[in-house]
Amino acid sequence: DKPVEVAPEALHQRMNKQALAFLQDMLRQVLANLQALTPVGDDGLFAAFHNVYITDSTGFALPDALHKTFPGAGGSAAKAGAKIQAVWDYNSSLFDHFALTPWNIPDQRYVDTVVALAQTGILFLFDLGYFKVKALAGLATAGAYFCCRLNHQTNIYETGAGRVEPVSLEAYLLTVAPDRLLLEKAIFIGATARVASRLIAVRMPEAVVNARRRMAHKKEKKKGYTPSK
């Protein structure tokens, strides 16, 4: 009931064949329960895709004594920690990739492992942590599709008058009519990769916008930063 410090040597002594078998069996039972869950997407939503890969990662703290083997994420996080990185296929309810890494390895380094799974007709869903233009270009080249949040620092372009021209996201969004709730625009991502994509934006209620702005300012103030427009 009370946490105790465990030395790395003690941990290695306890991770014997019997403990490993127990851990593997526990994971198998967990995954069996996960596969039994009822899908939450609309029927036919992903019918056009062979696989729908949901890519994500989660970090957790470990005893400080393990900081050399599993360094933490830095900052105010724990000194030692690990990260589980997984690629889950929504269609088959199976993992196509599952890895345990030190917490300080960023998702942008790991995304190359995800790209290796790309084939024609596969859809990848992931969050901003995996955003890397080179990786997105690799997915597109393989004939796969992706859906993720846009890094606001990314160069985006559009075609006009037979030329490819840069788009100022801030200036462009200010031109959208106040009563237009959904915006969809054909763009290209990356100064050199020029990955054909679609920019989709949803206008949020003013109360939600103000709450998010307050939260952003409060968070950045702690770090000594000023949020961009």
Side-chain angles (χ1 to χ4, degrees):
D1 294 331
K2 185 178 179 180
V4 296
E5 286 294 328
V6 179
E9 295 79 10
L11 187 64
H12 287 302
Q13 290 172 3
R14 286 160 175 76
M15 189 52 72
N16 50 37
K17 291 183 178 180
Q18 183 180 0
L20 181 60
F22 171 80
L23 181 60
Q24 291 174 333
D25 185 57
M26 182 178 68
L27 286 173
R28 274 193 292 268
Q29 292 187 42
V30 170
L31 296 182
N33 292 332
L34 193 59
Q35 292 168 22
L37 295 176
T38 302
V40 296
D42 296 335
D43 290 340
L45 180 63
F46 297 127
F49 304 103
H50 302 308
N51 304 89
V52 179
Y53 285 142
I54 300 174
T55 303
D56 206 353
S57 67
T58 182
F60 52 92
L62 292 173
D64 290 348
L66 296 173
H67 72 277
K68 290 185 178 179
T69 307
F70 288 97
S76 59
K79 293 182 180 179
K83 179 188 290 185
I84 291 178
Q85 300 168 323
V87 178
W88 168 264
D89 181 18
Y90 180 87
N91 289 346
S92 66
S93 296
L94 293 172
F95 282 108
D96 271 40
H97 179 75
F98 193 92
L100 181 70
T101 70
W103 201 350
N104 66 343
I105 296 180
D107 291 336
Q108 287 190 345
R109 282 178 54 187
Y110 162 66
V111 73
D112 294 330
T113 305
V114 178
V115 174
L117 299 172
Q119 297 181 32
T120 302
I122 292 179
L123 171 64
F124 289 83
L125 306 174
F126 46 82
D127 63 19
L128 186 58
Y130 292 90
F131 191 99
K132 188 166 71 171
V133 174
K134 184 178 179 180
L136 301 182
L139 296 177
T141 300
Y145 301 85
F146 59 87
C147 182
C148 63
R149 288 185 290 162
L150 175 67
N151 186 333
H152 69 276
Q153 296 178 325
T154 303
N155 293 316
I156 60 176
Y157 301 83
E158 65 178 343
T159 55
R163 297 182 301 175
V164 178
E165 300 176 342
V167 176
S168 172
L169 184 59
E170 179 192 348
Y172 174 69
L173 291 176
L174 290 175
T175 66
V176 180
D179 59 346
R180 189 174 177 184
L181 301 180
L182 179 66
L183 168 70
E184 187 168 348
K185 180 179 180 64
I187 62 170
F188 294 92
I189 296 177
T192 56
R194 300 284 171 87
V195 183
S197 310
R198 284 188 296 164
L199 173 66
I200 300 175
V202 179
R203 188 182 296 277
M204 304 304 296
E206 196 66 23
V208 175
V209 173
N210 292 332
R212 290 184 178 180
R213 282 181 177 149
R214 286 193 299 269
M215 188 180 302
H217 280 281
K218 183 178 179 181
K219 182 179 179 181
E220 296 303 303
K221 186 177 181 180
K222 291 182 179 179
K223 300 178 181 179
Y225 300 144
T226 301
S228 68
K229 292 183 180 181

